[in-house]
Amino acid sequence: MIQVLRFLFLIPTGFVLACFAASFALLWPFIDLPASASVDPFVWTELVFGFFAQAAQVGTLALIPWGLFMVLTEALGQRSLILHAAAGLAGGFAAARIPPGAGSAALETAMIVAGLAFGLVYWIVAGHGAGRWRRRDTPSLPPQT
């Protein structure tokens, strides 16, 4: 039953929270709040909608490659923090380099940091328990005489 809950709730929740973390990492360096932001609810509404739109873009871009990564780590039981961080960095680097010449150095850096944030948050939520659902055959000890 715990394995079913892991696949139905924990892994998708980890993916969504990783999308939120990557979205925050992408948007944070470029947000410049005006002085009237504390009293203007429209500024905050615009920021919230922008954040969720960015999270949806991150999720759309990462769904297929990260889905394959999640299936492989679950099937092989790979729970390494370094593996998840390296996969996030590789995804962020690939996303920064796919459109040639499309962004500035600050945008490319933000995309690489967002990939790292994605991988780390996913590992914290769901990746550290990857493959625990599989039964491990332990060698039986011979009876003691």
Side-chain angles (χ1 to χ4, degrees), residues 21-95:
S23 175
F24 184 78
L26 275 171
L27 293 176
W28 182 256
F30 305 107
I31 292 177
D32 187 21
L33 292 177
S36 65
S38 62
V39 295
D40 190 5
F42 293 108
V43 172
W44 291 104
T45 305
E46 181 182 359
L47 287 174
V48 168
F49 280 130
F51 173 77
F52 283 112
Q54 185 67 47
Q57 287 178 341
V58 169
T60 302
L61 179 68
L63 183 62
I64 301 278
W66 197 263
L68 293 173
F69 179 77
M70 288 186 288
V71 167
L72 285 174
T73 56
E74 287 291 332
L76 300 175
Q78 298 295 318
R79 301 186 273 266
S80 171
L81 171 64
I82 296 173
L83 177 67
H84 284 79
L89 276 174
F93 187 76

Side-chain angles (χ1 to χ4, degrees), residues 6 10-25 51 58 66 69-70 80-81 83-89 113-129:
R6 173 174 175 74
L10 188 63
I11 292 175
T13 301
F15 181 77
V16 169
L17 291 177
C19 289
F20 286 163
S23 175
F24 184 78
F51 173 77
V58 169
W66 197 263
F69 179 77
M70 288 186 288
S80 171
L81 171 64
L83 177 67
H84 284 79
L89 276 174
V113 169
L116 179 63
F118 188 97
L120 292 177
V121 169
Y122 179 79
W123 180 84
I124 289 170
V125 176
H128 68 278

Side-chain angles (χ1 to χ4, degrees), residues 1-10 133:
M1 182 64 178
I2 301 250
Q3 294 86 1
V4 172
L5 291 176
R6 173 174 175 74
F7 285 107
L8 287 179
F9 296 108
L10 188 63
W133 53 272

Side-chain angles (χ1 to χ4, degrees), residues 85-113:
L89 276 174
F93 187 76
R97 293 294 178 179
I98 285 177
S104 64
L107 181 60
E108 289 179 0
T109 303
M111 292 176 86
I112 293 170
V113 169

